[in-house]
Amino acid sequence: NAGVTQTPKFQVLKTGQSMTLQCAQDMNHNSMYWYRQDPGMGLRLIYYSASEGTTDKGEVPNGYNVSRLNKREFSLRLESAAPSQTSVYFCASNLGTVYNEQFFGPGTRLTVL
Amino acid sequence: AQSVTQLDSQVPVFEEAPVELRCNYSSSVSVYLFWYVQYPNQGLQLLLKYLSGSTLVKGINGFEAEFNKSQTSFHLRKPSVHISDTAEYFCAVNGGSNYKLTFGKGTLLTVNP
């Protein structure tokens, strides 16, 4: 039982390049989330998927797109990376009720030059 | 709307001293409260959660928190800290949404020998 896994762990991009961050969970969770973490800002929700086949914007969705590929996988795409997207990105999942805590992946550290 | 305020961005303490990390929340509905810990270069993991019932909640690693509805607080405490407790701690609130947690900006606990 690996929990929530993310790839890659580290990535350096040039401004304008694109990339996809991958996330997978093996806990049969319904809901999945993408956050970004910046110093002094806590975690901010980018997008979430309440269930397979649905996605919704969070607090800071601009510049990102997501795909809920199946129940296990939820990817985050940066179409044209900008230096402001330099951050640590976390994927999380849970059963999708108010009672259930979210389980987090180890994060992807992204630098955009 | 819901929000979380962590009153201290940094808390330095000496080993074996007690510690309290403060968290206040605002929400117009009943809340479910969580504390997460993030060790350096890792993802977040759940310390404890308050859903209902007893206002004193015990978590992992000797931490506990007290829910105070009148003061809208959920402070985290440990009677004697260890070097290994050095980490960032996040308070989070779910104000009734099945899918969204709102996080505070975090408190960096540094335990010195």
Side-chain angles (χ1 to χ4, degrees):
Chain A
N1 191 337
V4 180
T5 57
Q6 292 183 235
T7 55
K9 286 186 166 49
F10 301 94
Q11 184 71 49
V12 179
L13 293 178
K14 294 181 180 178
T15 297
Q17 288 185 316
S18 62
M19 78 161 295
T20 300
L21 282 66
Q22 305 287 353
C23 173
Q25 51 90 11
D26 62 1
M27 296 174 282
N28 201 33
H29 283 167
N30 297 314
S31 301
M32 298 185 74
Y33 309 81
W34 277 106
Y35 293 91
R36 60 178 289 172
Q37 183 181 28
D38 303 290
M41 301 292 289
L43 276 79
R44 293 181 291 171
L45 183 65
I46 304 171
Y47 270 93
Y48 67 99
S49 171
S51 59
E52 188 178 355
T54 68
T55 60
D56 284 285
K57 294 178 181 179
E59 183 183 354
V60 288
N62 291 346
Y64 305 95
N65 286 300
V66 291
S67 296
R68 182 76 182 266
L69 304 170
N70 48 55
K71 191 171 186 179
R72 291 187 64 247
E73 298 172 287
F74 188 39
S75 63
L76 178 72
R77 182 160 178 84
L78 287 69
E79 290 290 352
S80 178
S84 60
Q85 295 178 304
T86 293
S87 187
V88 182
Y89 291 86
F90 288 100
C91 178
S93 70
N94 73 351
L95 285 170
T97 74
V98 296
Y99 307 109
N100 297 110
E101 69 269 26
Q102 294 183 11
F103 292 80
F104 285 80
T108 295
R109 189 173 297 272
L110 175 67
T111 301
V112 183
L113 302 175
Chain B
Q2 57 197 35
S3 65
V4 177
T5 302
Q6 291 185 242
L7 295 155
D8 305 294
S9 59
Q10 298 186 54
V11 174
V13 295
F14 288 109
E15 195 173 16
E16 298 183 4
V19 71
E20 179 180 79
L21 306 183
R22 298 179 293 167
C23 172
N24 285 93
Y25 68 90
S26 68
S27 176
S28 57
V29 298
S30 298
V31 295
Y32 306 92
L33 295 154
F34 305 82
W35 274 100
Y36 286 83
V37 60
Q38 184 181 31
Y39 298 106
N41 299 313
Q42 294 187 25
L44 279 72
Q45 58 182 275
L46 184 72
L47 267 181
L48 49 80
K49 61 183 177 182
Y50 172 79
L51 303 180
S52 64
S54 172
T55 57
L56 185 63
V57 180
K58 293 190 184 299
I60 62 171
N61 300 340
F63 283 93
E64 63 182 31
E66 185 155 19
F67 171 60
N68 188 319
K69 188 175 181 179
S70 62
Q71 297 188 9
T72 61
S73 67
F74 190 53
H75 300 334
L76 181 70
R77 301 186 182 102
K78 186 169 183 179
S80 175
V81 294
H82 303 289
I83 298 284
S84 59
D85 292 323
T86 294
E88 191 152 24
Y89 293 79
F90 292 93
C91 182
V93 61
N94 183 320
S97 163
N98 276 357
Y99 311 115
K100 294 183 186 178
L101 279 181
T102 299
F103 285 87
K105 294 185 177 180
T107 297
L108 179 62
L109 174 65
T110 303
V111 182
N112 298 301

mmCIF file with all atom_site columns, all heavy atoms in Angstrom, chain B residues 26-38:
data_model
loop_
_atom_site.group_PDB
_atom_site.id
_atom_site.type_symbol
_atom_site.label_atom_id
_atom_site.label_alt_id
_atom_site.label_comp_id
_atom_site.label_asym_id
_atom_site.label_entity_id
_atom_site.label_seq_id
_atom_site.pdbx_PDB_ins_code
_atom_site.Cartn_x
_atom_site.Cartn_y
_atom_site.Cartn_z
_atom_site.occupancy
_atom_site.B_iso_or_equiv
_atom_site.pdbx_formal_charge
_atom_site.auth_seq_id
_atom_site.auth_comp_id
_atom_site.auth_asym_id
_atom_site.auth_atom_id
_atom_site.pdbx_PDB_model_num
ATOM 1   N N   . SER B 1 26 ? -12.678 30.659 11.805 1.00 0.00 ? 26 SER B N   1
ATOM 2   C CA  . SER B 1 26 ? -13.989 31.277 11.663 1.00 0.00 ? 26 SER B CA  1
ATOM 3   C C   . SER B 1 26 ? -14.775 30.470 10.659 1.00 0.00 ? 26 SER B C   1
ATOM 4   O O   . SER B 1 26 ? -14.241 30.035 9.637  1.00 0.00 ? 26 SER B O   1
ATOM 5   C CB  . SER B 1 26 ? -13.872 32.733 11.217 1.00 0.00 ? 26 SER B CB  1
ATOM 6   O OG  . SER B 1 26 ? -13.387 32.803 9.908  1.00 0.00 ? 26 SER B OG  1
ATOM 7   N N   . SER B 1 27 ? -16.027 30.260 10.995 1.00 0.00 ? 27 SER B N   1
ATOM 8   C CA  . SER B 1 27 ? -16.907 29.520 10.103 1.00 0.00 ? 27 SER B CA  1
ATOM 9   C C   . SER B 1 27 ? -18.340 29.806 10.505 1.00 0.00 ? 27 SER B C   1
ATOM 10  O O   . SER B 1 27 ? -18.626 29.962 11.689 1.00 0.00 ? 27 SER B O   1
ATOM 11  C CB  . SER B 1 27 ? -16.633 28.020 10.179 1.00 0.00 ? 27 SER B CB  1
ATOM 12  O OG  . SER B 1 27 ? -17.553 27.310 9.380  1.00 0.00 ? 27 SER B OG  1
ATOM 13  N N   . SER B 1 28 ? -19.212 29.834 9.528  1.00 0.00 ? 28 SER B N   1
ATOM 14  C CA  . SER B 1 28 ? -20.609 30.113 9.810  1.00 0.00 ? 28 SER B CA  1
ATOM 15  C C   . SER B 1 28 ? -21.400 28.848 10.111 1.00 0.00 ? 28 SER B C   1
ATOM 16  O O   . SER B 1 28 ? -22.563 28.915 10.456 1.00 0.00 ? 28 SER B O   1
ATOM 17  C CB  . SER B 1 28 ? -21.240 30.849 8.618  1.00 0.00 ? 28 SER B CB  1
ATOM 18  O OG  . SER B 1 28 ? -21.091 30.070 7.451  1.00 0.00 ? 28 SER B OG  1
ATOM 19  N N   . VAL B 1 29 ? -20.741 27.699 9.989  1.00 0.00 ? 29 VAL B N   1
ATOM 20  C CA  . VAL B 1 29 ? -21.423 26.429 10.232 1.00 0.00 ? 29 VAL B CA  1
ATOM 21  C C   . VAL B 1 29 ? -20.577 25.580 11.173 1.00 0.00 ? 29 VAL B C   1
ATOM 22  O O   . VAL B 1 29 ? -19.488 25.977 11.567 1.00 0.00 ? 29 VAL B O   1
ATOM 23  C CB  . VAL B 1 29 ? -21.675 25.671 8.909  1.00 0.00 ? 29 VAL B CB  1
ATOM 24  C CG1 . VAL B 1 29 ? -22.584 26.474 7.999  1.00 0.00 ? 29 VAL B CG1 1
ATOM 25  C CG2 . VAL B 1 29 ? -20.363 25.376 8.210  1.00 0.00 ? 29 VAL B CG2 1
ATOM 26  N N   . SER B 1 30 ? -21.111 24.431 11.503 1.00 0.00 ? 30 SER B N   1
ATOM 27  C CA  . SER B 1 30 ? -20.328 23.510 12.336 1.00 0.00 ? 30 SER B CA  1
ATOM 28  C C   . SER B 1 30 ? -19.026 23.149 11.625 1.00 0.00 ? 30 SER B C   1
ATOM 29  O O   . SER B 1 30 ? -18.987 23.065 10.404 1.00 0.00 ? 30 SER B O   1
ATOM 30  C CB  . SER B 1 30 ? -21.132 22.242 12.595 1.00 0.00 ? 30 SER B CB  1
ATOM 31  O OG  . SER B 1 30 ? -22.303 22.539 13.308 1.00 0.00 ? 30 SER B OG  1
ATOM 32  N N   . VAL B 1 31 ? -18.001 22.953 12.422 1.00 0.00 ? 31 VAL B N   1
ATOM 33  C CA  . VAL B 1 31 ? -16.693 22.729 11.830 1.00 0.00 ? 31 VAL B CA  1
ATOM 34  C C   . VAL B 1 31 ? -16.103 21.378 12.228 1.00 0.00 ? 31 VAL B C   1
ATOM 35  O O   . VAL B 1 31 ? -16.465 20.801 13.251 1.00 0.00 ? 31 VAL B O   1
ATOM 36  C CB  . VAL B 1 31 ? -15.695 23.840 12.211 1.00 0.00 ? 31 VAL B CB  1
ATOM 37  C CG1 . VAL B 1 31 ? -16.118 25.161 11.629 1.00 0.00 ? 31 VAL B CG1 1
ATOM 38  C CG2 . VAL B 1 31 ? -15.525 23.911 13.721 1.00 0.00 ? 31 VAL B CG2 1
ATOM 39  N N   . TYR B 1 32 ? -15.223 20.947 11.386 1.00 0.00 ? 32 TYR B N   1
ATOM 40  C CA  . TYR B 1 32 ? -14.397 19.786 11.658 1.00 0.00 ? 32 TYR B CA  1
ATOM 41  C C   . TYR B 1 32 ? -12.955 20.273 11.542 1.00 0.00 ? 32 TYR B C   1
ATOM 42  O O   . TYR B 1 32 ? -12.601 20.930 10.566 1.00 0.00 ? 32 TYR B O   1
ATOM 43  C CB  . TYR B 1 32 ? -14.698 18.671 10.658 1.00 0.00 ? 32 TYR B CB  1
ATOM 44  C CG  . TYR B 1 32 ? -16.161 18.345 10.620 1.00 0.00 ? 32 TYR B CG  1
ATOM 45  C CD1 . TYR B 1 32 ? -17.003 18.986 9.719  1.00 0.00 ? 32 TYR B CD1 1
ATOM 46  C CD2 . TYR B 1 32 ? -16.714 17.428 11.511 1.00 0.00 ? 32 TYR B CD2 1
ATOM 47  C CE1 . TYR B 1 32 ? -18.356 18.716 9.697  1.00 0.00 ? 32 TYR B CE1 1
ATOM 48  C CE2 . TYR B 1 32 ? -18.069 17.157 11.492 1.00 0.00 ? 32 TYR B CE2 1
ATOM 49  C CZ  . TYR B 1 32 ? -18.891 17.809 10.586 1.00 0.00 ? 32 TYR B CZ  1
ATOM 50  O OH  . TYR B 1 32 ? -20.223 17.544 10.575 1.00 0.00 ? 32 TYR B OH  1
ATOM 51  N N   . LEU B 1 33 ? -12.149 19.966 12.547 1.00 0.00 ? 33 LEU B N   1
ATOM 52  C CA  . LEU B 1 33 ? -10.831 20.584 12.664 1.00 0.00 ? 33 LEU B CA  1
ATOM 53  C C   . LEU B 1 33 ? -9.732  19.541 12.641 1.00 0.00 ? 33 LEU B C   1
ATOM 54  O O   . LEU B 1 33 ? -9.893  18.442 13.178 1.00 0.00 ? 33 LEU B O   1
ATOM 55  C CB  . LEU B 1 33 ? -10.765 21.393 13.965 1.00 0.00 ? 33 LEU B CB  1
ATOM 56  C CG  . LEU B 1 33 ? -11.713 22.590 13.989 1.00 0.00 ? 33 LEU B CG  1
ATOM 57  C CD1 . LEU B 1 33 ? -12.080 22.964 15.407 1.00 0.00 ? 33 LEU B CD1 1
ATOM 58  C CD2 . LEU B 1 33 ? -11.089 23.770 13.279 1.00 0.00 ? 33 LEU B CD2 1
ATOM 59  N N   . PHE B 1 34 ? -8.616  19.926 12.048 1.00 0.00 ? 34 PHE B N   1
ATOM 60  C CA  . PHE B 1 34 ? -7.496  19.009 11.862 1.00 0.00 ? 34 PHE B CA  1
ATOM 61  C C   . PHE B 1 34 ? -6.179  19.723 12.165 1.00 0.00 ? 34 PHE B C   1
ATOM 62  O O   . PHE B 1 34 ? -6.035  20.924 11.931 1.00 0.00 ? 34 PHE B O   1
ATOM 63  C CB  . PHE B 1 34 ? -7.446  18.525 10.399 1.00 0.00 ? 34 PHE B CB  1
ATOM 64  C CG  . PHE B 1 34 ? -8.721  17.895 9.904  1.00 0.00 ? 34 PHE B CG  1
ATOM 65  C CD1 . PHE B 1 34 ? -9.779  18.671 9.462  1.00 0.00 ? 34 PHE B CD1 1
ATOM 66  C CD2 . PHE B 1 34 ? -8.859  16.520 9.870  1.00 0.00 ? 34 PHE B CD2 1
ATOM 67  C CE1 . PHE B 1 34 ? -10.960 18.099 9.002  1.00 0.00 ? 34 PHE B CE1 1
ATOM 68  C CE2 . PHE B 1 34 ? -10.028 15.928 9.405  1.00 0.00 ? 34 PHE B CE2 1
ATOM 69  C CZ  . PHE B 1 34 ? -11.078 16.717 8.972  1.00 0.00 ? 34 PHE B CZ  1
ATOM 70  N N   . TRP B 1 35 ? -5.235  18.964 12.668 1.00 0.00 ? 35 TRP B N   1
ATOM 71  C CA  . TRP B 1 35 ? -3.845  19.399 12.728 1.00 0.00 ? 35 TRP B CA  1
ATOM 72  C C   . TRP B 1 35 ? -3.002  18.414 11.916 1.00 0.00 ? 35 TRP B C   1
ATOM 73  O O   . TRP B 1 35 ? -3.091  17.194 12.105 1.00 0.00 ? 35 TRP B O   1
ATOM 74  C CB  . TRP B 1 35 ? -3.318  19.433 14.155 1.00 0.00 ? 35 TRP B CB  1
ATOM 75  C CG  . TRP B 1 35 ? -3.600  20.698 14.901 1.00 0.00 ? 35 TRP B CG  1
ATOM 76  C CD1 . TRP B 1 35 ? -4.582  20.929 15.810 1.00 0.00 ? 35 TRP B CD1 1
ATOM 77  C CD2 . TRP B 1 35 ? -2.857  21.923 14.817 1.00 0.00 ? 35 TRP B CD2 1
ATOM 78  N NE1 . TRP B 1 35 ? -4.508  22.212 16.293 1.00 0.00 ? 35 TRP B NE1 1
ATOM 79  C CE2 . TRP B 1 35 ? -3.462  22.840 15.713 1.00 0.00 ? 35 TRP B CE2 1
ATOM 80  C CE3 . TRP B 1 35 ? -1.736  22.330 14.088 1.00 0.00 ? 35 TRP B CE3 1
ATOM 81  C CZ2 . TRP B 1 35 ? -2.981  24.140 15.880 1.00 0.00 ? 35 TRP B CZ2 1
ATOM 82  C CZ3 . TRP B 1 35 ? -1.271  23.613 14.255 1.00 0.00 ? 35 TRP B CZ3 1
ATOM 83  C CH2 . TRP B 1 35 ? -1.886  24.510 15.141 1.00 0.00 ? 35 TRP B CH2 1
ATOM 84  N N   . TYR B 1 36 ? -2.170  18.997 11.041 1.00 0.00 ? 36 TYR B N   1
ATOM 85  C CA  . TYR B 1 36 ? -1.235  18.210 10.248 1.00 0.00 ? 36 TYR B CA  1
ATOM 86  C C   . TYR B 1 36 ? 0.193   18.622 10.607 1.00 0.00 ? 36 TYR B C   1
ATOM 87  O O   . TYR B 1 36 ? 0.442   19.765 10.993 1.00 0.00 ? 36 TYR B O   1
ATOM 88  C CB  . TYR B 1 36 ? -1.429  18.465 8.753  1.00 0.00 ? 36 TYR B CB  1
ATOM 89  C CG  . TYR B 1 36 ? -2.657  17.843 8.151  1.00 0.00 ? 36 TYR B CG  1
ATOM 90  C CD1 . TYR B 1 36 ? -3.894  18.465 8.247  1.00 0.00 ? 36 TYR B CD1 1
ATOM 91  C CD2 . TYR B 1 36 ? -2.580  16.631 7.476  1.00 0.00 ? 36 TYR B CD2 1
ATOM 92  C CE1 . TYR B 1 36 ? -5.022  17.890 7.675  1.00 0.00 ? 36 TYR B CE1 1
ATOM 93  C CE2 . TYR B 1 36 ? -3.697  16.057 6.890  1.00 0.00 ? 36 TYR B CE2 1
ATOM 94  C CZ  . TYR B 1 36 ? -4.904  16.696 7.004  1.00 0.00 ? 36 TYR B CZ  1
ATOM 95  O OH  . TYR B 1 36 ? -6.016  16.124 6.437  1.00 0.00 ? 36 TYR B OH  1
ATOM 96  N N   . VAL B 1 37 ? 1.131   17.697 10.402 1.00 0.00 ? 37 VAL B N   1
ATOM 97  C CA  . VAL B 1 37 ? 2.538   17.983 10.599 1.00 0.00 ? 37 VAL B CA  1
ATOM 98  C C   . VAL B 1 37 ? 3.281   17.706 9.301  1.00 0.00 ? 37 VAL B C   1
ATOM 99  O O   . VAL B 1 37 ? 2.951   16.764 8.568  1.00 0.00 ? 37 VAL B O   1
ATOM 100 C CB  . VAL B 1 37 ? 3.138   17.146 11.762 1.00 0.00 ? 37 VAL B CB  1
ATOM 101 C CG1 . VAL B 1 37 ? 3.017   15.652 11.513 1.00 0.00 ? 37 VAL B CG1 1
ATOM 102 C CG2 . VAL B 1 37 ? 4.591   17.531 12.010 1.00 0.00 ? 37 VAL B CG2 1
ATOM 103 N N   . GLN B 1 38 ? 4.252   18.577 9.016  1.00 0.00 ? 38 GLN B N   1
ATOM 104 C CA  . GLN B 1 38 ? 5.095   18.390 7.837  1.00 0.00 ? 38 GLN B CA  1
ATOM 105 C C   . GLN B 1 38 ? 6.555   18.416 8.269  1.00 0.00 ? 38 GLN B C   1
ATOM 106 O O   . GLN B 1 38 ? 7.081   19.469 8.657  1.00 0.00 ? 38 GLN B O   1
ATOM 107 C CB  . GLN B 1 38 ? 4.838   19.491 6.803  1.00 0.00 ? 38 GLN B CB  1
ATOM 108 C CG  . GLN B 1 38 ? 5.626   19.294 5.522  1.00 0.00 ? 38 GLN B CG  1
ATOM 109 C CD  . GLN B 1 38 ? 5.383   20.413 4.514  1.00 0.00 ? 38 GLN B CD  1
ATOM 110 O OE1 . GLN B 1 38 ? 5.123   21.562 4.870  1.00 0.00 ? 38 GLN B OE1 1
ATOM 111 N NE2 . GLN B 1 38 ? 5.455   20.080 3.243  1.00 0.00 ? 38 GLN B NE2 1
#
